[in-house]
Amino acid sequence: MVEHMANHIFRTVLMYFLVFGVMRIMGKREIGELSIFDLVISVMIAEIAVFALEDIDRPIYDGIVPMLTLLLIQIAIAMLSLRFRKVRLWFDGEPSVIIRNGQINRKEMRRQRYNLDDLLMQLRSQKIDSVADVEFAVLETSGQLSVIPKEKSEGGGTHPKKKEAKLSAKIKYEALPLPLIMDGKVYDENLRQIGKTRFWLKNEIQTKGLSDFKQVFFCSIDHNGKLYINAMDEK
């Protein structure tokens, strides 16, 4: 009896530290920010730990080996996602524009099975009481709603800037900000969406002291037409 209880305690303590270690290695993201892939891995790890604790007659490695296998899969996919954007999009999906310039995208809401009650609740949580006050609302892959409100004028009304409106008319926002360069690779399709060329982009990065696209780790443009440029780390 004592030996049986001691075995239970040992397994429980071992599984606790093992699951804790695995989750720490997977990364420091809140539960609400987990991608679908990370969430599936987390649920499977939890289930494996439960099976290992419930059936004390099974060898402990029947739980440890599958758990470590899932950890290796998660690390491998994470490394590939860092290197290849297509892998990131395949596993994590793309953000969806729900509101653009105060207009609700009903087609995208139906595609995402996202109802008006959910939309209004998330807008209220960000202290926005009217859809008309929203420039962009993007449903992230984690299920959270990112909201960019319209800029307010001195008289209390709302209006987008002319530069912003001109750029917004050209861009079909699939993600905000819109990436132009990632990991030294130029996204020509995104350049075409904003009516720009590689020549224009080259001039822009040269103003930051960068002579080649491969020197840029990340470059994006926001809804105001403002560029963000981050250079590669020097090796």
Side-chain angles (χ1 to χ4, degrees):
M1 180 68 178
V2 175
E3 183 180 351
H4 186 75
M5 185 176 295
N7 196 4
H8 267 297
I9 294 173
F10 170 74
R11 281 174 174 256
T12 302
V13 172
L14 178 62
M15 283 297 145
Y16 169 78
F17 283 106
L18 185 60
V19 172
F20 178 79
V22 167
M23 299 303 289
R24 283 297 300 270
I25 293 171
M26 282 177 59
K28 297 181 179 179
R29 285 198 282 182
E30 297 178 7
I31 295 300
E33 296 177 350
L34 289 177
S35 66
I36 296 175
F37 173 71
D38 289 335
L39 183 60
V40 169
I41 293 287
S42 301
V43 170
M44 290 184 68
I45 288 173
E47 289 293 327
I48 291 170
V50 170
F51 291 147
L53 293 175
E54 282 184 341
D55 191 354
I56 197 170
D57 295 326
R58 297 183 64 177
I60 192 69
Y61 59 77
D62 280 0
I64 295 176
V65 172
M67 201 177 295
L68 294 180
T69 301
L70 287 174
L71 175 61
L72 290 176
I73 292 173
Q74 196 276 340
I75 292 174
I77 297 300
M79 296 301 293
L80 288 172
S81 297
L82 286 173
R83 191 173 180 86
F84 304 105
R85 186 168 184 262
K86 287 185 178 180
V87 175
R88 287 198 296 272
L89 295 178
W90 198 87
F91 280 98
D92 295 338
E94 288 185 286
S96 302
V97 177
I98 302 299
I99 300 174
R100 180 178 179 179
N101 195 25
Q103 299 296 317
I104 298 175
N105 188 339
R106 296 171 60 189
K107 182 178 179 181
E108 188 63 26
M109 286 185 67
R110 286 195 295 268
R111 193 171 75 87
Q112 298 297 329
R113 295 179 293 279
Y114 187 72
N115 61 54
L116 281 172
D117 289 330
D118 292 333
L119 175 62
L120 296 176
M121 178 185 69
Q122 294 207 43
L123 288 178
R124 288 193 299 270
S125 70
Q126 301 194 40
K127 299 181 179 179
I128 295 177
D129 55 8
S130 174
V131 174
D133 295 334
V134 178
E135 184 65 32
F136 290 101
V138 181
L139 185 63
E140 306 292 354
T141 55
S142 63
Q144 294 182 335
L145 191 72
S146 298
V147 179
I148 300 175
K150 291 183 178 179
E151 295 187 12
K152 293 188 177 288
S153 64
E154 292 181 359
T158 60
H159 68 276
K161 293 181 179 179
K162 290 183 179 180
K163 182 179 179 181
E164 178 181 334
K166 185 177 180 181
L167 183 65
S168 300
K170 292 181 180 179
I171 300 178
K172 294 179 180 178
Y173 281 92
E174 294 180 353
L176 290 171
L178 192 69
L180 302 179
I181 303 174
M182 296 180 73
D183 298 316
K185 179 183 177 182
V186 178
Y187 285 82
D188 294 298
E189 181 181 349
N190 292 349
L191 275 175
R192 286 193 292 271
Q193 287 186 41
I194 61 174
K196 301 295 184 181
T197 64
R198 284 195 174 212
F199 179 75
W200 169 83
L201 186 58
K202 190 73 171 286
N203 288 336
E204 292 295 325
I205 68 170
Q206 285 176 347
T207 62
K208 301 294 184 180
L210 302 170
S211 59
D212 192 87
F213 294 132
K214 292 182 179 179
Q215 294 178 280
V216 180
F217 176 65
F218 180 64
C219 172
S220 65
I221 189 167
D222 65 13
H223 63 291
N224 287 315
K226 184 178 178 181
L227 278 178
Y228 170 82
I229 300 174
N230 184 255
M232 289 279 193
D233 293 331
E234 293 184 6
K235 295 183 180 180

